[in-house]
Amino acid sequence: MDAAHIEQVRRFNRTVTERVGVLHDHYLGRDRPIGEARLLWEIGEQGRDVRGLRERLGLDSGYVSRLLRSLETAGLVTVEPCPGDRRVRTVRLTDAGRAERATLDRRSDALAGSLLRPLNAAQRERLVAAMTEVDRLLTAATVAVDAVDPDHEDAQRCLRSYFAEMEKCFETGFDPARSLLPDVGGLRAPRGLFLVARLHGEPVGCAGLKLPPGGAAEIKRMWVAPHARGLGLGRRFLAELEERAVRHGCEVLRLDTNKALTAAIGLYHSAGFREVAPFNDEPYAHHWFEKRLGRPEPEADR
């Protein structure tokens, strides 16, 4: 990794933390640090379960418990067991907590205005555009991709969303039982693997890889949630699956897709896949692709 890039990121972090006031224990002039203020924002009007808060903010349970105890002592939140499952704790804002959050909102707006006010109109546009891009890229860097069992609840949640979307966009609808992979158990080790992408603990994408002994690896059930598109997850899935196929000793990586998935088709072309003759009888496929692994594609084949 480029040392100059590392230094620039560190310089950016120092500038931002100083300018937005997170170095102080009294964030935005209130009697609490930024960690407690952020919890008040994240709890929201409907309340949140404590586990969801931890996953959303990437904090350990001990630290979150200390923050919540402080807010509870101040009368800003209540923390109670969930009626349906007493192992789950739910945190809600009190009336005082809602009033405190409203004050934080006003002061946060004022802080944002103070960042923009010294700049001219063109500089403001540049700063806001740069912040939007930084936010998008940092969000992309926050996504974690892990191999899970295809029966894991997060995997099944992604697959249900995938099937529902395909049902809407395919001309003939979509019934997984009619496909060549009716059971995702075929993507379980050692015959394959299944990846799930999570953003703040929420599953936002999946991708499977078939690893037949001595045959070509094949990508199946790749999907990214609509609200997570634009973060580069499709390309990240392809790179991860290609790397794992190479480690498995595969020389060819294949996939098939439906003509309705035009964005996916463009992605496959740009990732080095080339269209080939049909290699299976998948009833929902109109295009078949493959990529040779472990060496650059010959120029004539591109």
Side-chain angles (χ1 to χ4, degrees), residues 255-259 261 264-265 268 284-289:
L255 60 91
D256 58 66
T257 192
N258 188 279
K259 64 183 179 182
L261 304 179
I265 292 170
Y268 303 144
Y284 295 107
H286 301 100
H287 301 273
W288 289 260
F289 290 88

Side-chain angles (χ1 to χ4, degrees), residues 5-298:
H5 289 174
I6 296 294
E7 176 55 31
Q8 182 58 50
V9 169
R10 294 184 61 188
R11 185 182 301 116
F12 175 84
N13 290 343
R14 292 193 295 270
T15 299
V16 170
T17 53
E18 177 184 356
R19 190 66 181 87
V20 303
V22 299
L23 301 179
H24 308 291
D25 288 337
H26 299 278
Y27 180 62
L28 295 176
R30 306 303 286 169
D31 293 331
R32 58 192 46 82
I34 189 173
E36 292 183 12
R38 182 62 187 273
L39 280 184
L40 291 175
W41 275 314
E42 291 296 334
I43 292 167
E45 285 297 323
Q46 304 303 316
R48 294 281 294 270
D49 69 81
V50 175
R51 178 184 176 185
L53 280 175
R54 291 201 308 265
E55 292 179 342
R56 173 67 183 85
L57 298 175
L59 301 175
D60 69 74
S61 59
Y63 183 57
V64 170
S65 293
R66 291 193 295 274
L67 293 177
L68 289 176
R69 278 198 301 270
S70 178
L71 293 173
E72 198 171 19
T73 300
L76 302 179
V77 304
T78 60
V79 182
E80 300 174 341
C82 178
D85 185 349
R86 298 188 65 82
R87 295 171 300 177
V88 177
R89 294 185 301 151
T90 301
V91 55
R92 301 184 189 279
L93 297 177
T94 63
D95 289 342
R98 283 187 284 272
E100 178 65 15
R101 194 183 64 176
T103 298
L104 288 170
D105 279 335
R106 290 193 296 272
R107 296 196 176 195
S108 187
D109 286 346
L111 175 60
S114 74
L115 295 175
L116 296 171
R117 195 169 298 112
L119 306 177
N120 61 42
Q123 289 175 320
R124 291 174 186 172
E125 291 294 334
R126 287 172 55 198
L127 178 59
V128 171
M131 286 178 166
T132 301
E133 180 69 0
V134 168
D135 178 66
R136 185 181 69 83
L137 293 174
L138 288 179
T139 299
T142 302
V143 176
V145 175
D146 301 295
V148 303
D149 189 276
D151 286 335
H152 188 282
E153 61 179 336
D154 287 348
Q156 290 297 311
R157 179 175 167 183
C158 287
L159 287 166
R160 287 193 297 270
S161 297
Y162 168 84
F163 296 152
E165 185 171 347
M166 298 307 103
E167 172 68 23
K168 290 180 180 178
C169 70
F170 288 3
E171 288 181 351
T172 59
F174 182 73
D175 177 2
R178 292 188 58 234
S179 74
L180 292 186
L181 186 67
D183 176 13
V184 289
L187 301 175
R188 181 178 291 116
R191 294 177 295 168
L193 62 92
F194 198 82
L195 303 178
V196 167
R198 298 182 179 93
L199 176 60
H200 305 309
E202 175 195 1
V204 294
C206 63
L209 187 67
K210 292 176 67 175
L211 294 167
E218 188 175 348
I219 295 172
K220 304 295 293 185
R221 303 297 190 244
M222 192 170 88
W223 172 82
V224 175
H227 68 277
R229 290 168 192 172
L231 299 179
L233 291 185
R235 194 172 296 276
R236 184 172 170 184
F237 274 137
L238 290 179
E240 177 75 14
L241 294 174
E242 179 176 336
E243 179 183 335
R244 292 188 180 237
V246 169
R247 292 207 305 260
H248 194 74
C250 299
E251 297 182 354
V252 176
L253 182 58
R254 289 175 169 173
L255 60 91
D256 58 66
T257 192
N258 188 279
K259 64 183 179 182
L261 304 179
T262 55
I265 292 170
L267 171 64
Y268 303 144
H269 281 295
S270 67
F273 286 81
R274 61 188 182 90
E275 197 154 356
V276 296
F279 50 76
N280 62 26
D281 296 321
E282 172 59 58
Y284 295 107
H286 301 100
H287 301 273
W288 289 260
F289 290 88
E290 73 174 29
K291 183 177 183 179
R292 296 283 169 180
L293 304 179
R295 60 182 177 82
E297 287 282 320

